[in-house]
Amino acid sequence: MRRIMFLQFLLGTLVLLSAAIVRAEDPYVYETWVVTYGQIAPLGVKQRGILINGQFPGPSLNVVTNDNVIITVINKLDDPLLITWNGVKQRKSSWQDGVLGTNCPIPPNSQWTYKMQMKDQIGTFTYFPSTLMHRAAGGFGGFNILARSVIPVPYPKPFEQFTLLVSDWWKTDNKVLQQRLDQGKSFPFPDALLINGRPNSFKFTGVKGYTYLFRVSNVGLTTSINIRIQGHTLKLVEVEGSHTMQEVYESLDIHVGQSLAFLVTLHANPKDYYIVASTRFTKPILTATAILHYQGSNIPASKPLPIGPTYHVHWSMKQARSIRWNLTANAARPNPQGAFHYGTIPVTRTLVLANSAGKINGKKRYAINKISYINPDTPLKLADYYHIPGVFQLNKIKDNPPRGPMVLDTSVFNFTLHDFVEIVFQNNENSIQSYHLDGNDFWAVGYGAGAWNTTMRKKYNLIDATTRCTIQVYPNSWSTILMPLDNKGMWNLRSAIWPRRYLGQETYFRVWNTEHSLYTEYDIPPNALLCGKAKH
């Protein structure tokens, strides 16, 4: 009898434990996206755009920290396709990153399922096609990771949140734009700016007295923008996953590939007000507008539009330095509060990365430290996993800008897992640059004019710089980041300015150790597509 009672007790305990485990598993979010071409006319001219489930822009995705996100992408285009998740860290799983260095593209008329976890992450991000020049035709959208309800955010809960996507736009078909680059021709100046796919008519509706969170991303190809709202101020609260010190701004610069979130309280007289986005550092200046509509009002917005900065490089650099990390906030962060501080961590390696433009074999190319990257037929991650030789070279790209001409190559920086690196982006050109690194956060610690040297470290913010994943580099200037390489895998460092990236201004970071363990990196997914030398 005692044995039977013990077995019943043991069985009951196991049932309770299994139920607890099931309840403890993080939630799942399932999406199916059909990617097609369709007719759009954002500027009044019919053209071919890339739609997701018939939408341009694509649907905004709102998930919660630690959610498991399962997205099946059905490719109905006539080209192979990948979608990348700009700012999503893909912890221990560069297999899901959606770039040609980590994934074989999804062939036409087939599908592939991304399986991602939003592990210990919050923030305002985006997704878009990473293949060819597909991004010039659409296929982009907002990707917002909300905080779990048990983790307080450092500001009162807004009444509602809005996703606002600003993009430069061309009336020209994406394949024609791609052909121009392939022929060595210059990329044309954009025809217009769009806000959520429209130049002047998108409307956000709110109630007087309430506060709203605007999640704003620059999903353009080439152009920095400034955002402002007529008659209202912007309280900055988050930059690409970092809660900020909630400074109030009249307007904010957002460079290519960047995202941020600000609060707006509807305190003005009930009517319509212009939301204005305008280009920075361009001649001419392009402007797009949307409408902030007070519910119940019937008074249209009136001009003049609020004036924003135009060139004003120093103004923008000063604003960038004013954005600081909220060290008292509870949130997902690269280092647990109180465990250590980034400003005291010894740097294991310094990279000085200089962009350059020139010609190779008579055609325009762009480079990092004189290496203009070319994509091999076999993704780097697959070649690394299956020990396939001859696909890429480690460390042929140098840690400092070399002398000599630009060359074509597939070179990868090799790092040891948990290295802590200093990266200086040196821009010796007259145009603004923007860089994004997949799979990692970094601290944007310094911006300065001219050529960087070691004395510039005295100017770094080693206390409360924000973490982010995309950083601007002003004309003839430098920007510095500090970064713990704690995410094992193969990670794309690229120019966020897409024509430059398409023509070679990118590379990869191989973050590695010899231990084969699921604690540091997940195995290749069972549904992984194989191509190139990995297919044989």
Side-chain angles (χ1 to χ4, degrees):
M1 177 63 71
R2 289 181 180 177
R3 185 177 181 183
I4 293 173
M5 292 178 64
F6 173 76
L7 289 173
Q8 290 175 334
F9 171 78
L10 181 61
L11 182 61
T13 302
L14 291 172
V15 169
L16 289 173
L17 283 173
S18 63
I21 290 170
V22 169
R23 286 196 300 270
E25 188 174 13
D26 293 307
Y28 279 75
V29 176
Y30 293 93
E31 295 279 339
T32 299
W33 289 357
V34 181
V35 183
T36 60
Y37 280 120
Q39 184 175 283
I40 59 175
L43 300 180
V45 177
K46 293 180 180 179
Q47 63 184 118
R48 187 177 63 165
I50 292 179
L51 313 179
I52 296 180
N53 292 350
Q55 299 180 46
F56 169 79
S60 290
L61 191 60
N62 295 298
V63 298
V64 176
T65 302
N66 290 351
D67 277 0
N68 295 285
V69 180
I70 315 298
I71 302 179
T72 297
V73 174
I74 302 172
N75 179 17
K76 293 293 185 180
L77 305 184
D78 54 3
D79 292 314
L81 172 74
L82 282 172
I83 291 178
T84 192
W85 319 94
N86 201 59
V88 177
K89 291 180 186 174
Q90 310 292 4
R91 293 189 188 273
K92 303 190 295 184
S93 188
S94 57
W95 301 107
Q96 307 295 332
D97 202 29
V99 291
L100 288 174
T102 56
N103 296 88
C104 297
I106 307 166
N109 297 311
S110 63
Q111 65 184 51
W112 195 69
T113 299
Y114 291 86
K115 299 179 180 179
M116 308 173 281
Q117 187 180 25
M118 308 299 106
K119 183 66 175 172
D120 297 332
Q121 189 174 5
I122 62 156
T124 302
F125 307 108
T126 58
Y127 65 85
F128 51 77
S130 67
T131 39
L132 304 175
M133 291 298 292
H134 290 134
R135 185 174 169 185
F140 51 75
F143 194 122
N144 306 316
I145 308 176
L146 286 60
R148 299 170 63 195
S149 60
V150 295
I151 305 295
V153 296
Y155 49 84
K157 184 178 180 181
F159 185 70
E160 193 176 350
Q161 70 171 21
F162 300 125
T163 295
L164 193 156
L165 305 174
V166 184
S167 57
D168 45 19
W169 194 256
W170 290 258
K171 299 174 185 177
T172 310
D173 188 86
N174 65 291
K175 291 196 174 185
V176 175
L177 292 173
Q178 180 182 319
Q179 186 179 43
R180 285 182 63 98
L181 294 175
D182 291 339
Q183 293 171 345
K185 298 178 181 179
S186 296
F187 202 72
F189 189 76
D191 293 307
L193 289 186
L194 305 179
I195 296 177
N196 287 6
R198 304 180 193 176
N200 56 18
S201 60
F202 199 90
K203 183 180 289 186
F204 300 90
T205 299
V207 179
K208 181 178 173 62
Y210 287 82
T211 298
Y212 295 82
L213 180 70
F214 281 79
R215 297 184 180 271
V216 184
S217 298
N218 183 341
V219 292
L221 273 68
T222 64
T223 315
S224 296
I225 62 103
N226 178 270
I227 189 82
R228 52 206 181 270
I229 301 180
Q230 187 179 44
H232 296 74
T233 55
L234 320 176
K235 181 183 285 188
L236 185 65
V237 295
E238 180 250 325
V239 172
E240 294 167 17
S242 280
H243 289 310
T244 65
M245 286 299 292
Q246 300 184 27
E247 301 289 343
V248 175
Y249 298 89
E250 295 291 329
S251 69
L252 284 162
D253 279 357
I254 311 176
H255 305 280
V256 180
Q258 292 185 342
S259 299
L260 52 76
F262 54 75
L263 295 173
V264 176
T265 300
L266 274 58
H267 55 72
N269 294 327
K271 54 170 286 190
D272 287 358
Y273 294 87
Y274 283 112
I275 300 171
V276 182
S278 59
T279 58
R280 295 286 271 118
F281 321 119
T282 66
K283 293 180 182 180
I285 304 298
L286 301 178
T287 300
T289 60
I291 297 296
L292 175 58
H293 171 70
Y294 276 59
Q295 185 174 302
S297 74
N298 56 7
I299 304 174
S302 58
K303 294 185 176 180
L305 299 178
I307 298 172
T310 53
Y311 204 81
H312 305 106
V313 170
H314 180 71
W315 185 99
S316 186
M317 189 182 293
K318 184 177 179 181
Q319 183 181 87
R321 291 174 180 148
S322 74
I323 299 173
R324 296 173 299 132
W325 204 16
N326 187 339
L327 299 178
T328 64
N330 290 320
R333 48 176 76 237
N335 55 325
Q337 181 71 12
F340 62 84
H341 194 278
Y342 73 91
T344 66
I345 304 170
V347 170
T348 57
R349 185 174 173 185
T350 295
L351 305 183
V352 180
L353 305 181
N355 49 277
S356 55
K359 288 188 176 181
I360 300 177
N361 300 325
K363 293 186 177 180
K364 183 182 289 291
R365 295 289 299 187
Y366 299 98
I368 298 174
N369 282 4
K370 299 297 179 71
I371 299 290
S372 187
Y373 183 87
I374 48 175
N375 280 300
D377 293 335
T378 308
L380 312 178
K381 186 62 183 169
L382 284 176
D384 207 22
Y385 186 82
Y386 289 117
H387 306 290
I388 301 171
V391 175
F392 64 91
Q393 297 186 70
L394 291 176
N395 293 330
K396 183 173 181 181
I397 185 170
K398 302 304 180 184
D399 289 9
N400 290 279
R403 295 182 179 181
M406 297 189 332
V407 296
L408 298 171
D409 211 321
T410 305
S411 184
V412 174
F413 283 106
N414 195 43
F415 295 95
T416 300
L417 183 64
H418 304 307
D419 276 353
F420 190 79
V421 298
E422 174 190 38
I423 302 177
V424 180
F425 295 101
Q426 179 66 54
N427 179 14
N428 299 321
E429 298 182 56
N430 293 324
S431 60
I432 190 166
Q433 305 291 312
S434 184
Y435 285 94
H436 173 84
L437 180 62
D438 285 348
N440 298 269
D441 279 334
F442 50 71
W443 286 276
V445 297
Y447 305 88
W452 180 89
N453 60 64
T454 56
T455 66
M456 303 300 180
R457 290 172 177 150
K458 298 176 182 178
K459 299 181 178 181
Y460 290 177
N461 178 356
L462 298 180
I463 298 172
D464 59 357
T466 55
T467 59
R468 60 186 317 151
C469 57
T470 308
I471 189 168
Q472 72 275 20
V473 195
Y474 295 98
N476 298 298
S477 299
W478 56 269
S479 299
T480 299
I481 65 175
L482 296 177
M483 179 173 54
L485 291 172
D486 291 338
N487 197 9
K488 188 174 177 180
M490 189 76 71
W491 304 110
N492 186 213
L493 172 68
R494 60 178 176 264
S495 173
I497 299 172
W498 213 248
R500 298 184 72 104
R501 190 255 186 175
Y502 179 78
L503 292 180
Q505 195 171 310
E506 66 171 323
T507 186
Y508 282 81
F509 283 9
R510 179 181 184 259
V511 182
W512 190 249
N513 69 355
T514 57
E515 177 188 17
H516 182 83
S517 170
L518 296 181
Y519 287 105
T520 56
E521 186 179 33
Y522 298 135
D523 285 333
I524 185 171
N527 69 332
L529 298 175
L530 300 180
C531 56
K533 294 180 180 179
K535 195 172 183 179
H536 304 296

